[in-house]
Amino acid sequence: MTIAQDITRHYGGDWHGSYGAFPTPGHGRTDRGMTVKDAPDAPDGVLVHSFNGGDPLAVKDECRRVGLLPGREQSNDCLPRQTAKYEYVDGDGVVLYRTVRIEQGGKKKRFQAQRPDGRGGWSNGIGDVARVLYRLPEIKAALSGGEMPRVFLVEGERKADKLASWGLVATACAFGCKGWRKAYADDLAGCQIIILPDNDDEGRAFAARAASDISKAGGTAHIVELPGLPVKGDIIDWSGTADDLAQLVDTALAPIATTFQLADLARWDRTEPRPKSFIMPGYIPARELTLATGAGGANKSTFGQQLATCVAGGIPMLGIDVIQGNALYITAEDDEERLHWMQKHICDAVGVGIASLAGKLHLASLRGRLGNELATFDAENKLRPSPSFQMLRATIEQSKAQLVVLDNAAHLFAGNENDRQQVTAFVNLLYSLCQDLGATVILVAHSNKAGDTYSGSTAWLNAVRSQIVLGRPENSHDPDERLLTLGKANYARQGQELRFRWHDFALVLNDQLPADTRAAIAANAAASAANEAFLACLRSRSGQGDGRRVGPSPGPNYAPSQFEGMPQAKHYKKADLKRAMDRLFEIGRIKSVTFRDTAKGRDVTVIEEVVYPTPNATPNASRTLPPNYPEPAENGPPAHTVYTTYIEGAAAGAAAPP
């Protein structure tokens, strides 16, 4: 185990292949605001970062105190230091030579060979001492067992030691892949050799050369590449466990399966099960497919892009700590210009610069591109992955994205949404990204008009293990208020909810807004509710015939007096209804109409509602401004209109785009 892994375990964190994430001291157990990674060229051999105000130096001091890091007097990185020694022994256990790992700040690590000098010390160089494999006695002992033993061959001693710590027989040769000799194959002839190459051209060339030599010597060699490795990565960087490696090797060596893979309960009994981890605790389980649904205008797309931003930046999402990692947001609805607009406002809302997300947040627009479907279905209703799916998979691998948001299903699924078989096959295709690449996938989808939280076959909901639903709270008079609920939760408590609001093209918690803004929003929401009550009363009276219509001036037919006490008035008093009437006149939602009452022989003035046509918004394009909606100014939100206050939104400025 490396120093960074020891530190991660000490603080109760999670290891992510090449780095660890753990709680910032003073924060909760689910916080992952600190990261640590091994860096031989750095002071103390590790790099520690904080993304939420922690003190990396204080963390290092604590690690020195408990012995995880050397004391300050030992950490002068300007001088060469020996960080490891690996002894090579013959079959009888006699030390023949050793290699010493030497590291120095700012320089590449190097290895020095040394041989015993016969006086209890060491001389540089191997000399004419016979070359042997690392951990040779363990190979000899395994061969004496009577069966063909399984031996792992890697490029370096440290990697072999890690495998040995898992209870495996492992070996290497001095000086890595360049130190391989054909003679080594003779000692491996009676073994089943599993070669784990480094993820680079040199590593693969070493594996091929060693496999050929072993085969010629009468041995059996299998090259098994570890999935998910970074470039030049190896078993040290791999995030899998001993059980994962055993399963990977068993799969690679197994003949064509005639039965399903069954769980090894004996192995389960020797290992502790791990609880489900979350990208966004309580809402988005890690390495799973989550369906994010809601009606148009629920800001599902904004949620997806903002969550990707928070994960990439290690920033809490709506007050909830998230696991930091690379993130990929792909939209088929918005163009790149719109993505830029949204990203600027999201970054302003969460307090991070766009430049700081370079290499961590990846955005892509597929709008206007033909062939965005990820799969097609043949005449036998069998799913066939498309070139776009292969591009998606390659993009995830290249970006190393741990979170992938796909916006949305209508553009990516070309099958029949009511066909259970097609829906299930498509969901399983997306699950392959979770299983093979370790990615967490969020698929954005629209709900239907019947009030269900999804559209199409129930397979959409049954095939996934997690669903979140975005919408407006019931009976809310604030169109910008939003509610996130768990529609389906196999790994969390169903029905859990999170309230927030759309504000200036981003999603925020109410208490994140300035006090004066919150007060203005509350006042506008209350005014909007009174306006709606007045309009409801007006519609009721207008529908009862001309004799029941009301007027704007004090008198027997005065609207506020007539409306007070009506059920539609929602207990508003005459004065409240008077203020609502004045506002509605001001913003053009009602008007006075005078006509001649021939029966009474006089003119009568009544109030009528002004009904405006609904803009022809692009169907299901929740973040695209519809025609006739004010376009955003170059450096600000859409221009304020009479429809943005009291009626269309409670925001002090522009309301959320429909």
Side-chain angles (χ1 to χ4, degrees), residues 153-224:
L153 174 61
V154 289
E155 294 184 33
E157 301 94 335
R158 181 186 175 200
K159 305 164 194 176
D161 286 346
K162 176 178 179 178
L163 293 168
S165 71
W166 287 354
L168 304 173
V169 180
T171 188
C173 51
F175 306 110
C177 60
K178 297 179 180 179
W180 173 259
R181 296 189 171 193
K182 289 185 178 181
Y184 293 154
D186 295 333
D187 289 326
L188 301 174
C191 305
Q192 187 180 51
I193 306 302
I194 310 301
I195 305 175
L196 304 179
D198 290 2
N199 186 25
D200 55 28
D201 292 340
E202 286 187 349
R204 285 181 279 272
F206 156 73
R209 186 169 67 254
S212 175
D213 293 341
I214 293 168
S215 177
K216 291 176 182 178
T220 302
H222 305 272
I223 300 174
V224 177

Side-chain angles (χ1 to χ4, degrees), residues 448-528:
N448 64 22
K449 295 181 179 179
D452 296 323
T453 60
Y454 58 91
S455 179
S457 169
T458 55
W460 285 110
L461 194 57
N462 295 337
V464 300
R465 310 298 286 171
S466 173
Q467 180 207 21
I468 58 175
V469 182
L470 287 98
R472 287 181 55 194
E474 291 186 10
N475 302 320
S476 173
H477 292 284
D478 183 352
D480 294 340
E481 191 175 9
R482 297 291 180 264
L483 179 67
L484 173 65
T485 57
L486 283 177
K488 179 177 181 179
N490 284 69
Y491 306 111
R493 180 178 298 174
Q494 190 166 348
Q496 188 169 322
E497 63 180 39
L498 177 65
R499 287 178 177 263
F500 51 95
R501 66 180 297 101
W502 185 99
H503 182 76
D504 195 16
F505 296 91
L507 305 177
V508 299
L509 298 172
N510 276 332
D511 58 11
Q512 293 175 329
L513 295 173
D516 57 343
T517 303
R518 293 200 304 270
I521 289 172
N524 284 358
S528 181

Side-chain angles (χ1 to χ4, degrees), residues 279 306-315 322-327 402-403:
I279 287 288
Q306 186 163 327
L307 177 61
T309 301
C310 291
V311 168
I315 303 164
V322 298
I323 295 295
Q324 184 181 15
N326 287 5
Q402 292 179 251
L403 172 67

Side-chain angles (χ1 to χ4, degrees), residues 63-79:
C63 292
R64 292 188 185 94
R65 189 185 66 80
V66 299
L68 293 175
L69 289 176
R72 294 187 184 276
E73 69 280 1
Q74 305 175 36
S75 60
N76 187 350
D77 208 50
C78 297
L79 301 176

Side-chain angles (χ1 to χ4, degrees), residues 370-514:
L370 299 180
N372 286 332
E373 63 274 4
L374 300 181
T376 57
F377 296 88
D378 61 20
E380 297 179 352
N381 214 25
K382 300 296 184 182
L383 179 142
R384 297 287 182 262
S386 70
S388 289
F389 177 76
Q390 302 304 334
M391 291 178 65
L392 171 62
R393 186 183 180 99
T395 303
I396 297 173
E397 290 179 320
Q398 182 183 44
S399 64
K400 299 180 177 61
Q402 292 179 251
L403 172 67
V404 180
V405 182
L406 303 176
D407 188 9
N408 61 47
H411 296 270
L412 306 177
F413 175 65
N416 181 354
E417 69 172 8
N418 295 302
D419 187 315
R420 179 178 297 274
Q421 181 179 345
Q422 291 188 1
V423 169
T424 302
F426 180 74
V427 168
N428 285 333
L429 178 68
L430 296 183
Y431 263 122
S432 71
L433 301 174
C434 306
Q435 178 176 322
D436 298 343
L437 306 180
T440 300
V441 179
I442 297 178
L443 177 63
V444 177
H446 294 294
S447 55
N448 64 22
K449 295 181 179 179
D452 296 323
T453 60
Y454 58 91
S455 179
S457 169
T458 55
W460 285 110
L461 194 57
N462 295 337
V464 300
R465 310 298 286 171
S466 173
Q467 180 207 21
I468 58 175
V469 182
L470 287 98
R472 287 181 55 194
E474 291 186 10
N475 302 320
S476 173
H477 292 284
D478 183 352
D480 294 340
E481 191 175 9
R482 297 291 180 264
L483 179 67
L484 173 65
T485 57
L486 283 177
K488 179 177 181 179
N490 284 69
Y491 306 111
R493 180 178 298 174
Q494 190 166 348
Q496 188 169 322
E497 63 180 39
L498 177 65
R499 287 178 177 263
F500 51 95
R501 66 180 297 101
W502 185 99
H503 182 76
D504 195 16
F505 296 91
L507 305 177
V508 299
L509 298 172
N510 276 332
D511 58 11
Q512 293 175 329
L513 295 173

